[in-house]
Amino acid sequence: MQITPLGDQALLVELGQTIDESTHRKVQSAWRSLAAEPLPGVTELVPAYTTVTAYYDPVQAVQAGAPAGQIVDWLSDRLRERLKNPPKTAKTKGRMVEIPVCYEGEFAPDLGVVAKQAKLTPAEVIKLHTKTEYLVYLVGFAPGFPYLGGLPKILATPRHAKPRMVVPAGSVGIGGQQTGIYPCATPGGWNLIGRTPLALFRPALHPPTLLSAGDRVKFRAITREEFLRQEAGA
Amino acid sequence: MITVQQPGLLTTVQDLGRPGYQQYGVVVGGALDALAARTANLLVGNEENAAVLEMAQTGPALCFSQSTLVAWCGADFDAQINGEPCPRDRPVRVAAGDVLRFGLARRGLRAWLAIAGGIDVPLVMGSRSTYRRAGLGGLAGRALQGTDQLSCGDASEWSQQILEKLLANGQRATAWSVRPDTIGRPARVGVVRAMRGPEWEWFTEPAQQAFFQATWVATKEADRMGVRLKGPGLALAQPREMISSAVNAGVVQIPPAGQPIVLLPSRQSVGGYPRLAAVAAVDLRHFTQLRLGDSIRFEEISVVGAQDLILTQARDLTRVRLGLSRLLA
C-alpha cells in the first residue's frame, strides 16, 4: 500500500496496480474501514479502481494536532494505522442489473472504430459486449456514471486524443480497457458504441444513482423502436 | 425580494459547494473562487457558506424591493446602483427600488455578489450551489433568467447595524474595504504555484521542464469544470493508459494531445488522464479569471509550501473576521 499526495488537500491510498476483482475488494474494504469512523481533518473519501482518495482540510488537520510542516506524514500515519486495525463493518452484496442498449446508427458513432481495431464486425462487437457480465468498480466522473470492469480484452480501444465537448446522455462507451455509461450530457473521450434509455442519475432518491460500486451489470441489445418507446415511457 | 431584470451571461447561485457525494459522481462545485465568495459574505455579515451570485463576463441587473446590504468581490466589473458606481470589496447599502446593475468585466472574468441574509434557495444534497450539468441546486438547477425573483434569509445583527450606520451618515458604502487578494500570501501577477502530481514521473524531462518554464495561454475551452491551456506539447516518456482515479480542483491533467487541462471546482470526481501537476489551492482562483488569450506561468512549490499558504490564508481570514466583528464593539 502506497500513500501519495494529490495536491495540497488530498491523499491517494493505492491498493493495487491493475483493474481486477481482488483489488476491487481491497479498495471496497479499505474504503469501508476509513469511512466507518471519521479521521481527523478528512472531509471525503472517494474509491476508484485501485485507489481510495482521502480529501482533507489542512486547517482542520492542524486543529486536530497535525504539525503544520508535516500534515501529509501525520495524516498518512493515521490512514495506515486505521487500515492495519480496521473496525468491523457490515458487508453489502451487489445486485444484478440489466441495461437495455441500442447499438444502432447515431447512437453508436464509434462502433466502427472499435470493430476495426478488434478486427471484428460491428455485429460481433455487439454480441461480445452483451454476452459479458460486468462489475461496477466505481461510480464517478459524472453523476451516476458507472465504471464497469470485465470488458473482453479484444474490445479495448484507446480514448480519443481530444475528448468530445459533448457526449449525449445514455451513451455507452469504451475507454481503454474500461466500459461505462454517460448518465448526462458531458464532455468525454471514450468511444461511443450505443445508448441506453434508462436514467442512471436519480437525484430525488437515495442513493441517487441506479448503480452502485459492487453491482453486476449485463447489457441487452434493443432496437431503435424499443429505445424510443422506453425513452418516452421513462 | 429581488427581481432579476437582466440575468447576465451566466449568473448562478453558489455557496461553498456540495462535498460528500463524489462517490456518486456528484461534483463538489460551489463558488469557483471560494475566497472571494467568503469575503463578500463576511462583508455583509453572512455566514461564509451563505449562497451568493456568481457572474461571468456580463453581470445581472437586480431590482431590490427593500433596503439591504450587499458586497461584491472578484473581477473589475462595471457595477452601478441607479447609474452611480457601486464600489467593490466593501459593504454597500441599497434602498428599496434601487437597481444594481453589473455591466461588462473590464478585466478578469468572474465576480461574486453577496446579499445580507444569503440567497434563499432550497438545500439540495446539503448545498445551495447550482449544478447545471445535473440540473440541481440553486434556482431549479439553472442559471438566472430574466423573470426570476430571489429572496434572502434574515440579515444578521451586524449587517443591520452597518446598514443603519451607512444610512445615518448618508453614505452609500463604507470608506474601508477588504480585498480578497490581500488575504494570505498571493502569487505574483501572471504566476501560479503548482506541485508535482502523482504521474509527474510519467513525462519526459523536456515536458517536465517545459511545464514550469513555458508561458501558457488560456483557450476558449474553459468553463466551471476546467480551463484548457495552449503551449508546448507535453509528452509521456512512453505511451501509457492511466487507470481512472480521483482528481481534485487544481489538478493539471494531460490528455494525449499534450495540452494541459486545469480542473476547477465543478470538475468531475474521477479522471483518466495523467495528473502531471496540481495547482496550489490558494492560487486556483487565478484560473477563474482567465480570458481567452490570457497567459500564465507555473512556479514549482512543495506540498508543505502550498499547505503553509492555506494555513496563512486561514489565519488572515480569521483576522478579517475578528476585525469586522470589532467594528461595532
Side-chain angles (χ1 to χ4, degrees), chain B:
Chain B
M1 194 66 81
I2 298 159
T3 306
V4 178
Q5 293 188 337
Q6 276 164 26
L9 182 70
L10 179 57
T11 307
T12 55
V13 177
Q14 301 291 344
D15 58 16
L16 296 182
R18 187 172 280 116
Y21 294 90
Q22 289 192 76
Q23 58 170 293
Y24 303 114
V26 174
V27 307
V28 176
L32 290 188
D33 182 346
L35 181 64
R38 293 170 82 175
T39 307
N41 272 326
L42 285 173
L43 287 169
V44 297
N46 285 353
E47 297 284 334
E48 285 165 50
N49 191 27
V52 301
L53 290 180
E54 176 178 289
M55 64 191 84
Q57 203 167 323
T58 310
L62 307 168
C63 180
F64 291 77
S65 69
Q66 59 192 54
S67 80
T68 187
L69 209 57
V70 301
W72 65 283
C73 298
D76 179 20
F77 274 79
D78 170 26
Q80 299 181 347
I81 297 179
N82 306 335
E84 297 288 317
C86 172
R88 187 171 54 170
D89 301 325
R90 68 196 72 207
V92 179
R93 176 176 60 87
V94 291
D98 280 355
V99 175
L100 169 58
R101 183 183 301 274
F102 289 88
L104 276 168
R106 288 177 284 229
R107 219 165 344 124
L109 191 61
R110 293 186 174 96
W112 292 266
L113 169 71
I115 303 167
I119 312 276
D120 186 18
V121 291
L123 277 173
V124 179
M125 297 177 169
S127 167
R128 296 187 165 84
S129 286
T130 310
Y131 180 13
R132 289 169 70 226
R133 207 172 288 280
L136 282 183
L139 269 181
R142 57 166 173 77
L144 253 57
Q145 292 175 357
T147 53
D148 284 334
Q149 300 228 313
L150 302 169
S151 51
C152 289
D154 293 331
S156 64
E157 179 64 30
W158 187 92
S159 174
Q160 292 175 36
Q161 289 197 34
I162 293 286
L163 187 61
E164 279 162 26
K165 266 193 173 180
L166 288 173
L167 199 60
N169 298 340
Q171 288 174 305
R172 177 59 88 181
T174 61
W176 53 268
S177 65
V178 179
R179 286 173 46 199
D181 47 2
T182 60
I183 296 171
R185 287 203 303 277
R188 287 175 288 129
V189 175
V191 176
V192 291
R193 291 159 290 198
M195 294 150 275
R196 297 178 179 193
E199 283 75 52
W200 170 264
E201 300 293 342
W202 288 22
F203 289 83
T204 63
E205 218 178 289
Q208 293 172 343
Q209 283 168 4
F211 178 69
F212 283 117
Q213 282 168 4
T215 297
W216 297 95
V217 179
T219 66
K220 66 177 191 320
E221 285 170 38
D223 57 17
R224 285 183 43 90
M225 287 180 74
V227 179
R228 194 172 284 179
L229 302 175
K230 208 176 94 192
L234 303 178
L236 293 171
Q238 49 192 319
R240 232 167 140 169
E241 281 271 330
M242 200 185 108
I243 297 176
S244 290
S245 175
V247 292
N248 202 358
V251 164
V252 182
Q253 290 186 324
I254 313 291
Q259 301 289 284
I261 299 173
V262 177
L263 299 180
L264 294 181
S266 283
R267 68 191 162 79
Q268 63 270 31
S269 53
V270 169
Y273 296 124
R275 298 156 295 188
L276 172 68
V279 173
V282 301
D283 284 353
L284 189 60
R285 49 201 306 268
H286 297 295
F287 287 94
T288 72
Q289 299 295 0
L290 290 185
R291 296 162 80 132
L292 174 65
D294 282 351
S295 61
I296 202 141
R297 281 195 314 107
F298 293 98
E299 183 179 272
E300 189 166 2
I301 191 170
S302 66
V303 174
V304 170
Q307 291 182 332
D308 186 48
L309 294 174
I310 294 174
L311 297 175
T312 306
Q313 187 187 81
R315 270 196 299 274
D316 279 10
L317 205 55
T318 303
R319 253 179 236 132
V320 168
R321 214 178 289 129
L322 263 170
L324 290 174
S325 70
R326 281 183 190 143
L327 271 178
L328 300 177

